[in-house]
Amino acid sequence: MHKTKEIFINGFALFSMFFGAGNLILPPFLGKGAGNLWLWVTLGFFITAVFIPLLGILAHARLQGTMYDFAKKVSPTFSLTYCFIVYAICIALPAPRTASVTHEMAIAPYFNSSSLITSSVYFGLVFIFSMNRSKVLTLLGKFLTPLIIFILLAIIFVGIYTAPEVITSSTFKTPFVDGLLEGYQTFDAIASIVVGGVLVISMNFNTNTSFEEKKELITKAGFIAGLGLLIIYAGLIYNGVLFSTSFSENATRTEILSSLSNQTLGNIGSVFLSVLVALACFTTAVGVITGTADYFKGINNNSQKVFTITAIIGCLLGIAVGQFDVKYIINIALPALMFIYPITIVLIVLNVLPEKYTSTIVFKIVVGITFLFSIPDFLNFIVNPAYLSGLKNSIPFANQNLGWVLPAVLSFVITNVIKHQRNKSLI
């Protein structure tokens, strides 16, 4: 049996990995529209923002490798391409979003400066920290997460007891699906395969710790992390529900979180949260840039020149995209997420399932079918949706942007049945 202390330490480590400051702006916004159906919204959000990412950690526990190992059963070329696309998305969208969140929450309310200045200074500092790795970020991470959690719990509990007792009707047509798709915006499924492996491998296992013991520890730690995230996310969604009448109709995600903290903790609490979120966003950005630069350095004979060039490109992209408001970045992220998230989810699930059901041919077919049926969801955000209406009407759940789900499940089952029948005929 593992010591309780060891399980909790690793549980909090997993929690802090998924607990991106940018994610905090998503749940209250969901709550504003969720109304009386907030439980369905929370369930959908939990699946893509917590459950799938934790499966990603369990998959890493089995693979004990890198992100490349997640997709290598499809083919080495596919895996390299997949890794490249994921890292490109990371430095082009979630990293710049941290600068945008910082500007909207910590700069714009107090200083009359442009977002371009904020993103330029912000990513200038990110570049300096990326080139000179410092323990300051690690120390900040250790203190930041507990402080933010403390403030958020205060907001949640004060909000529950002081909110106007009015729960409006939901404005969502499909609350469960809306929660599910908003969970994509956390990027946590991607995070679980990008940095999850590093975290799993760096866990302080004894040299004589068996595979099953490692798996048990990571599973229990994952449960603690998942429970923590569920409490925070559900609490913020519920507070968004309770205070929905106090937000302006067109309030942005950052405005809703700022308003919520101001109404529950007052001006001082709101300022404090803004500063902490800005610092936590910064550590996330440095982590993404250095992680991406490390990857490209690794596949180019550990070239420091490649590391520097990747960091420069990442920071320039950060300046260019980070100057836009959060809502705009979330909207431009949608096509990319509709393209990469279904493949990522399927790769995570296939790597968690028993190996007898996940042969190379199963990987190839299921990932191929998932890619094929996610194309209409991806195109829906690029071309006029009217052009795709006939196609989407013929695919189950496609109008909810989940057209890949049923084909992925069916292809998995059918491929395994055929494989099983062939094996029987050979006996």
Side-chain angles (χ1 to χ4, degrees):
M1 292 293 289
H2 296 288
K3 291 179 181 177
T4 305
K5 183 182 176 184
E6 190 182 5
I7 292 168
F8 273 92
I9 288 171
N10 286 304
F12 287 135
L14 282 176
F15 177 88
S16 63
M17 189 196 83
F18 290 123
F19 193 75
N23 300 355
L24 299 182
I25 61 173
L26 304 173
F29 176 78
L30 271 178
K32 178 178 178 284
N36 59 330
L37 300 176
W38 71 277
L39 275 172
W40 284 107
V41 172
T42 305
L43 181 61
F45 190 74
F46 176 74
I47 288 171
T48 47
V50 182
F51 181 66
I52 296 293
L54 289 177
L55 285 184
I57 294 296
L58 294 181
H60 266 302
R62 286 186 59 185
L63 292 170
Q64 298 291 313
T66 64
M67 181 165 71
Y68 173 82
D69 297 305
F70 262 78
K72 69 179 181 182
K73 271 192 174 181
V74 180
S75 83
T77 306
F78 174 84
S79 191
L80 281 170
T81 307
Y82 173 76
C83 290
F84 178 85
I85 292 169
V86 166
Y87 279 114
I89 288 171
C90 285
I91 60 170
L93 294 166
R97 191 176 74 182
T98 63
S100 186
V101 169
T102 299
H103 180 77
E104 290 187 18
M105 285 202 69
I107 306 296
Y110 313 107
F111 304 99
N112 186 23
S113 64
S114 78
S115 56
L116 180 59
I117 292 172
T118 301
S119 67
S120 300
V121 172
Y122 184 91
F123 276 99
L125 290 170
V126 166
F127 180 73
I128 292 167
F129 273 83
S130 297
M131 298 308 294
N132 304 280
R133 296 183 184 202
S134 169
K135 288 184 179 177
V136 174
L137 286 176
T138 310
L139 291 170
L140 277 175
K142 283 182 180 177
F143 292 108
L144 277 176
T145 302
L147 273 172
I148 294 177
I149 291 168
F150 177 76
I151 290 177
L152 290 175
L153 289 175
I155 289 171
I156 289 165
F157 287 113
V158 171
I160 288 170
Y161 288 104
T162 61
E165 294 182 17
V166 180
I167 294 182
T168 56
S169 296
S170 177
T171 58
F172 295 140
K173 290 179 181 176
T174 51
F176 174 75
V177 173
D178 285 304
L180 203 73
L181 297 179
E182 188 78 1
Y184 281 18
Q185 291 287 353
T186 64
F187 288 89
D188 278 347
I190 291 171
S192 74
I193 62 169
V194 171
V195 292
V198 177
L199 192 70
V200 168
I201 292 164
S202 65
M203 283 182 172
N204 297 319
F205 295 124
N206 297 321
T207 50
N208 60 348
T209 306
S210 70
F211 174 82
E212 285 305 318
E213 285 176 322
K214 287 181 184 179
K215 196 173 178 183
E216 184 194 350
L217 171 62
I218 294 164
T219 303
K220 288 181 177 178
F223 178 75
I224 289 167
L227 188 63
L229 287 170
L230 180 61
I231 290 167
I232 296 290
Y233 286 153
L236 287 174
I237 290 172
Y238 188 55
N239 267 257
V241 174
L242 295 175
F243 285 89
S244 61
T245 54
S246 68
F247 306 130
S248 63
E249 191 178 336
N250 298 315
T252 63
R253 289 166 175 82
T254 47
E255 285 170 351
I256 288 171
L257 179 60
S258 297
S259 173
L260 196 57
S261 59
N262 195 39
Q263 289 183 71
T264 52
L265 302 182
N267 285 329
I268 295 172
S270 188
V271 170
F272 199 45
L273 178 66
S274 296
V275 172
L276 288 175
V277 165
L279 286 169
C281 277
F282 184 76
T283 61
T284 301
V286 173
V288 170
I289 298 295
T290 52
T292 306
D294 273 338
Y295 172 75
F296 286 102
K297 177 185 175 181
I299 61 172
N300 287 280
N301 300 317
N302 285 323
S303 166
Q304 185 59 32
K305 187 179 178 182
V306 171
F307 180 94
T308 306
I309 291 169
T310 307
I312 290 170
I313 292 169
C315 290
L316 289 174
L317 265 172
I319 293 169
V321 181
Q323 66 175 304
F324 296 107
D325 58 54
V326 175
K327 185 179 179 181
Y328 178 79
I329 295 173
I330 283 174
N331 287 339
I332 61 170
L334 275 171
L337 289 171
M338 289 299 166
F339 168 71
I340 206 69
Y341 237 78
I343 295 170
T344 302
I345 290 171
V346 164
L347 285 173
I348 287 172
V349 172
L350 287 175
N351 278 297
V352 168
L353 290 170
E355 282 191 31
K356 65 177 181 178
Y357 301 118
T358 55
S359 61
T360 304
I361 190 67
V362 172
F363 261 82
K364 288 179 188 291
I365 291 173
V366 175
V367 171
I369 292 290
T370 301
F371 170 69
L372 190 66
F373 280 87
S374 62
I375 290 172
D377 296 338
F378 164 71
L379 290 176
N380 198 49
F381 292 92
I382 296 176
V383 303
N384 187 335
Y387 298 149
L388 301 165
S389 59
L391 178 63
K392 295 200 83 169
N393 288 336
S394 64
I395 304 171
F397 309 118
N399 287 317
Q400 287 77 41
N401 297 310
L402 295 168
W404 59 274
V405 176
L406 194 59
V409 173
L410 287 174
S411 62
F412 172 79
V413 173
I414 292 166
T415 308
N416 269 291
V417 167
I418 292 170
K419 191 161 73 76
H420 179 70
Q421 292 297 331
R422 279 187 179 174
N423 290 341
K424 275 178 71 176
S425 65
L426 291 172
I427 296 171

